[in-house]
Amino acid sequence: MGFLKDNVIPGNHGKVFGTDAKKDEDLAYIKSLILKIKGVEDVVIDRSIFPIEFTVCTSALVKVDDVEKVVQKTGFHAIPQELFSL
């Protein structure tokens, strides 16, 4: 895999992940766990599309695997979406 696919790059664009979580409580729990990862500044959940997506914004380089592992501990999945267009 490439550098951009393996990492969440610092900045305001973030990285988008799809999830199979649907309940507000589950999404809030996932958000709280992701926010505990060093370097993560914000998690924005988009419930207007299916499957539900969330964007992770960072102030430092964060590995995509770290986000996936934290979410998997909840019993749900975080699937990184395609790279943003330049």
Side-chain angles (χ1 to χ4, degrees):
M1 298 199 97
F3 181 77
L4 293 175
K5 285 189 176 185
D6 292 339
N7 297 288
V8 182
I9 308 302
N12 60 359
H13 56 275
K15 181 135 183 101
V16 178
F17 293 82
T19 185
D20 55 341
K22 294 178 182 81
K23 295 181 181 177
D24 289 333
E25 307 85 41
D26 296 331
L27 293 166
Y29 183 55
I30 288 170
K31 179 177 180 174
S32 71
L33 291 178
I34 294 171
L35 285 170
K36 292 180 182 178
I37 298 172
K38 185 176 180 178
V40 173
E41 284 188 336
D42 195 15
V43 177
V44 180
I45 298 171
D46 185 0
R47 293 184 58 86
S48 67
I49 58 174
F50 183 81
I52 295 172
E53 292 182 342
F54 59 88
T55 304
V56 177
C57 299
T58 64
S59 62
L61 199 64
V62 173
K63 293 184 178 192
V64 168
D65 285 344
D66 292 344
V67 175
E68 291 175 321
K69 287 176 185 174
V70 165
V71 175
Q72 285 176 351
K73 289 179 183 177
T74 67
F76 296 104
H77 299 283
I79 301 165
Q81 302 301 309
E82 293 298 314
L83 297 172
F84 59 91
S85 58
L86 296 175

